[in-house]
């Protein structure tokens, strides 16, 4: 029986090559899209899955204002954890970011990613220990734990344990070698404990949020209780004590200073990758919205592919009607025919999946580059998902055509009356309308996405960075040294002076912020006893704002000719001014971190973080005004003449590797290119939508081609009679195409609300966004209508050119 079914299947493939190719190609494209989305989904959800304590480990997030969340906390909590928090099994203060530094062994050196953490780090992230012990390796700052890959690079075949490494600051003895079992939110190459030493300096400072903090709870349900106790401690040790020093009540003190008690939020490690409220770990956050968009669009395309397959299968059924009728007369049961056609669907889907895997394998390098990932096809989970896709596709693509064909009435088929049967016509037309609706969604959606990305790409950012090089500056300093702040400044001024002498360099300056990624320093200031304004601290050197062509709204820029501009002068941006509710700010004083600063200018708002983000309140002052601000500068900005930039950059690099960083590679980027990375994810979404839009249109045209072919084939006798009676070709074309125009309109109308609603939700990601107009809908309808007419009229025109005798001679 199976052999007979297989022979029949091969026979029909040979006789219906076009339909077979369209069937397989449509399904393969839909399945390949879902496989891509599945691989991405699996990768993002695999973070920390290997960690047995992922549900019990929480990171402490500090909410310091309505919009500011810091993945950091204060040192004094440690004393209370030991005695007043029975809910806590262990805790770990750590740096939740990497420092890239050189690690040396004899004549070998490697630039590796350092994480600084307390000795309980391995309780939070229990990496696999290859050799040595993780229990005591981080007890002090004399030992080091390194990854197996780092050990191989530095030691080769030597045994690393007990060997001494140099990180440029101290000698470190290797006490542990580890590997990371899977994707992890923290994946350092080197771990050292320098946290304890630093925390001693801050043990009584309740306002210094300098440390990441992990808590391992005995019961994860106690997280809210622990967070509430931490908040109460913050209130008692910060607000209450400060009010007591001034001799007023805590309520009066908070009103006077515009202060809001810091909220504590405990975020579980298990959900931190995709659902974090701020960036909590060095490996960064995943983009859950983008992940959902990819998955949903891929499922939508698979649905379209299945609908297309069903349309093609039912359209082709007319050619097999007599075969089914004869088989029924010869004794074949309805269930036997269903099994036969399901068997053919299984073979088709199986071949489609194999082809889709080939497509995925060939396209995976480009997909990885698109997502900045390293996805590969493997794993039991993926194979289970692939089998599930296989089964679901067979059920939805195979059952209806099989039942439809098995219901052919033998007598009608053999008498030649099958063409007049209306079985399944409403369902087929409904599926065609669904195809039109999905195609409409993608056409309009891709146009709106394109408009928004073009809008933010061309938006006036408030600064110009096309000829400004942002040079990575390793602003190293040792805070234990005497007069280290002066040494930091002297080093910067020396570099600035030497760079300024290079031909082609027009200007050199620095700021304690990075265009495109913002800065990490915020401080509240108050004006006339009003609400506390939590503003970004923009420490700058003279000329920094002018170099970036940032405009002044009123007042003036900071000037090196005025001594006061390095002591008590400041500027505010327009957003901060609005929050101050002051019409004439020039010359007014504000209280910033217990200092009196005078406003000398108002800076026009500019987009520091990215055009998709709201502009926060900012305060600008010279780095000498706040003596620690220069330590936050990680970039030196160099304005370069446009005539010979390559030669100028070559000279800068030559100076840099000889006099500034002799061991690190010279690294720079132009500010405008660096800034473009802030919305790179949305550019990818635009490209994804455009690619899927083309795919959807092609698949929808396959389905339209099939149904048009089927419908016109059923009406060939009618067409022949009309032609015999003198009907003109134009009249026939109009008659044959009008129902498809109606389906096109219905599908378009069905898609209007979903596309408008979902794209409106997507646009909420942007602080600066377009208003959805009628244009995308008009363009979408026009494109859909034109494509529909091209396909339908081409098939209808071919039908009007046939020999009418072929269809009349049997009457």
């Amino acid at each position: 029986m199976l052999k007979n079914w297989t022979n029949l299947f091969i026979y029909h493939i040979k006789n219906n090559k076009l339909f077979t190719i369209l069937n397989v190609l449509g399904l393969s494209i839909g399945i390949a899209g879902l496989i891509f989305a599945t691989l991405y989904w699996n990768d993002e959800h695999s973070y920390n899955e290997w960690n047995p304590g992922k549900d019990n480990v929480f990171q402490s997030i500090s909410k310091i204002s309505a919009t500011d969340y810091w993945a950091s906390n204060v040192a004094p909590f440690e004393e209370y954890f030991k005695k007043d928090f029975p809910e806590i099994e262990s805790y770990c203060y750590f740096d939740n970011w990497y420092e890239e530094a050189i690690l040396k062994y004899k004549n070998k050196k490697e630039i590796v990613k350092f994480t600084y953490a307390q000795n309980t780090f391995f309780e939070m992230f229990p990496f696999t220990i290859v050799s040595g012990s993780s229990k005591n390796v981080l007890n002090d700052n004399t030992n080091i734990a390194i990854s197996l890959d780092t050990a191989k690079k530095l030691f080769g075949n030597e045994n690393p344990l007990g060997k001494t490494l140099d990180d440029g600051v101290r000698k470190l003895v290797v006490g542990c070698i580890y590997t990371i079992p899977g994707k992890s939110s923290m994946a350092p190459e080197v771990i050292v404990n320098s946290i304890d030493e630093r925390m001693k300096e801050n043990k009584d400072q309740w306002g210094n949020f300098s440390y990441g903090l992990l808590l391992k709870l005995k019961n994860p349900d106690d997280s809210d209780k622990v967070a509430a106790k931490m908040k109460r401690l913050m209130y008692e040790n910060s607000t209450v004590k400060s009010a007591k020093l001034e001799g007023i009540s805590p309520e009066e003190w908070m009103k006077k200073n515009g202060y809001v008690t810091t909220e504590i939020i405990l975020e579980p490690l298990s959900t931190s990758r995709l659902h974090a409220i701020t960036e909590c770990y060095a490996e960064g956050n995943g983009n859950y919205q983008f992940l959902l968009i990819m998955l949903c669009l891929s499922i939508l395309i698979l649905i379209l592919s299945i609908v297309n397959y069903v349309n093609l299968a039912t359209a082709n059924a007319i050619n097999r009607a007599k075969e089914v009728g004869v088989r029924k007369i010869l004794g074949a049961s309805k269930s036997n025919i269903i099994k036969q056609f399901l068997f053919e669907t299984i073979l088709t889907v199986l071949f489609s999946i194999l082809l889709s895997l080939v497509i995925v394998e060939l396209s995976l390098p480009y997909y990885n580059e698109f997502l900045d990932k390293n996805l590969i096809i493997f794993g039991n989970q993926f194979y289970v998902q692939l089998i599930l896709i296989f089964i679901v596709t067979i059920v939805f693509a195979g059952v209806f055509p099989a039942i439809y064909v098995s219901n052919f009435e033998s007598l009608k088929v053999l008498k030649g009356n099958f063409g007049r049967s209306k079985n399944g016509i409403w369902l087929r037309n409904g599926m065609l309308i669904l195809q039109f609706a999905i195609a409409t969604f993608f056409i309009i959606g891709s146009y709106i996405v394109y408009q928004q990305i073009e809008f933010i790409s061309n938006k006036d950012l408030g600064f110009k960075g096309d000829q400004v090089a942002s040079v990575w500056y390793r602003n190293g300093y040792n805070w234990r040294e005497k007069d280290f702040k002066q040494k930091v400044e002297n080093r910067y001024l020396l570099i600035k002076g030497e760079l300024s002498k290079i031909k082609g360099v027009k200007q050199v300056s620095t700021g304690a912020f990075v265009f495109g990624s913002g800065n990490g320093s915020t401080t509240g200031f108050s004006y006339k006893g009003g609400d506390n304004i939590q503003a970004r601290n923009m420490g700058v050197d003279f000329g920094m704002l002018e170099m970036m062509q940032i405009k002044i709204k009123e007042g003036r820029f900071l000037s090196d000719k005025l001594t006061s501009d390095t002591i008590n002068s400041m500027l505010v941006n327009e957003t901060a001014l609005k929050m101050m509710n002051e019409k004439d700010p020039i010359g007014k004083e504000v209280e910033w971190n217990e200092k009196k600063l005078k406003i000398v200018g108002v800076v026009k708002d500019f987009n520091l973080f990215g055009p998709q983000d709201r502009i926060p309140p900012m305060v600008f002052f010279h780095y000498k005004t706040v003596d620690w601000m220069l330590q936050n500068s990680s970039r030196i900005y160099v304005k370069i003449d446009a005539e010979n930039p390559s030669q100028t950059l070559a000279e800068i690099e030559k100076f840099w590797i000889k006099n500034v960083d002799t061991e690190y590679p010279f690294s720079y980027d132009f500010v405008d290119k660096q800034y473009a990375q802030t919305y790179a994810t949305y550019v990818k979404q635009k490209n994804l939508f455009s690619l899927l839009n083309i795919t959807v249109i092609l698949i929808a045209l396959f389905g339209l081609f099939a149904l048009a072919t089927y419908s016109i084939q059923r009406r060939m006798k009618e067409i022949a009679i009309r032609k015999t009676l003198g009907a003109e070709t134009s009249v026939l074309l109009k008659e044959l195409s009008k129902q498809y125009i109606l389906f096109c309109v219905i599908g378009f109308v069905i898609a209007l609300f979903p596309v408008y609603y979902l794209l409106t939700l997507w646009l909420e990601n942007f602080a600066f966004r377009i208003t959805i107009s009628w244009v995308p809908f008009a363009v979408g309808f026009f494109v859909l209508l034109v494509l529909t007419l091209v396909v339908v009229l081409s098939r209808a025109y071919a039908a009007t050119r046939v020999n009418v005798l072929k269809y009349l001679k049997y009457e």
Side-chain angles (χ1 to χ4, degrees), residues 623-638:
Y623 62 76
K624 282 188 177 181
T625 305
V626 181
D627 61 2
W628 51 264
M629 190 55 69
L630 185 59
Q631 300 163 46
N632 288 1
S633 294
S634 61
R635 299 287 194 282
I636 289 181
Y637 296 95
V638 185

Side-chain angles (χ1 to χ4, degrees), residues 540-576:
V540 296
D541 190 9
F542 295 120
M544 178 67 197
L545 300 180
E546 297 93 316
M547 179 173 68
M548 298 305 302
Q549 300 181 46
I550 295 169
K551 296 179 176 61
I552 199 86
K553 182 181 180 182
E554 55 184 296
R556 61 177 178 82
F557 289 109
L558 299 174
S559 172
D560 57 357
K561 296 178 181 179
L562 296 172
T563 305
S564 61
D565 280 3
T566 61
I567 300 174
N568 63 351
S569 295
M570 69 178 289
L571 301 92
V572 297
N573 71 340
E574 292 175 294
T575 300

Side-chain angles (χ1 to χ4, degrees), residues 111-127:
I111 298 176
V112 294
K113 297 184 294 187
F114 276 72
T115 284
Y116 301 101
Q118 289 184 312
N119 62 347
T120 50
F121 180 83
F122 285 105
E123 293 182 32
M124 311 297 169
F125 292 93
F127 299 153

Side-chain angles (χ1 to χ4, degrees), residues 362-425:
L362 294 176
S363 306
L364 203 53
Y366 306 100
Y367 186 68
N368 282 330
E369 184 179 352
F370 174 74
L371 292 176
D372 193 23
K373 287 281 190 180
N374 187 29
L375 307 179
I376 55 176
I377 302 176
F378 78 100
N380 295 332
Q381 182 186 18
F382 171 72
Y383 297 131
V384 170
Q385 291 165 335
L386 192 62
I387 292 171
L388 183 61
I389 293 171
F390 176 66
I391 294 171
V392 169
T393 304
I394 289 172
V395 169
F396 286 97
V399 171
F400 169 71
I403 294 175
Y404 171 71
V405 171
S406 69
N407 283 328
F408 288 166
E409 296 181 26
S410 304
L411 187 59
K412 284 187 177 182
V413 167
L414 295 176
K415 287 177 64 178
N417 294 328
F418 171 74
R420 300 188 180 95
S421 173
K422 297 185 180 295
N423 289 340
I425 190 169

Side-chain angles (χ1 to χ4, degrees), residues 192-220:
V192 178
N193 183 359
S194 66
I195 293 287
D196 288 336
E197 185 180 6
R198 284 158 46 196
M199 286 182 60
K200 290 176 184 177
E201 303 290 325
N202 305 131
K203 64 180 181 179
D204 299 318
Q205 296 183 18
W206 287 89
N208 189 347
F209 292 79
S210 300
Y211 309 95
L213 173 60
L214 294 171
L215 302 175
K216 188 172 186 179
L217 305 185
K218 297 174 183 176
N219 183 353

Side-chain angles (χ1 to χ4, degrees), residues 40 241 247 314 339 376 424 437 439 479 539 562 584 590 631 639 674 786:
Y40 183 28
K241 287 184 178 180
T314 53
K339 289 176 184 178
I376 55 176
W479 55 270
L562 296 172
D584 184 21
V590 302
Q631 300 163 46
K639 181 76 172 179
Q674 177 180 293
V786 167

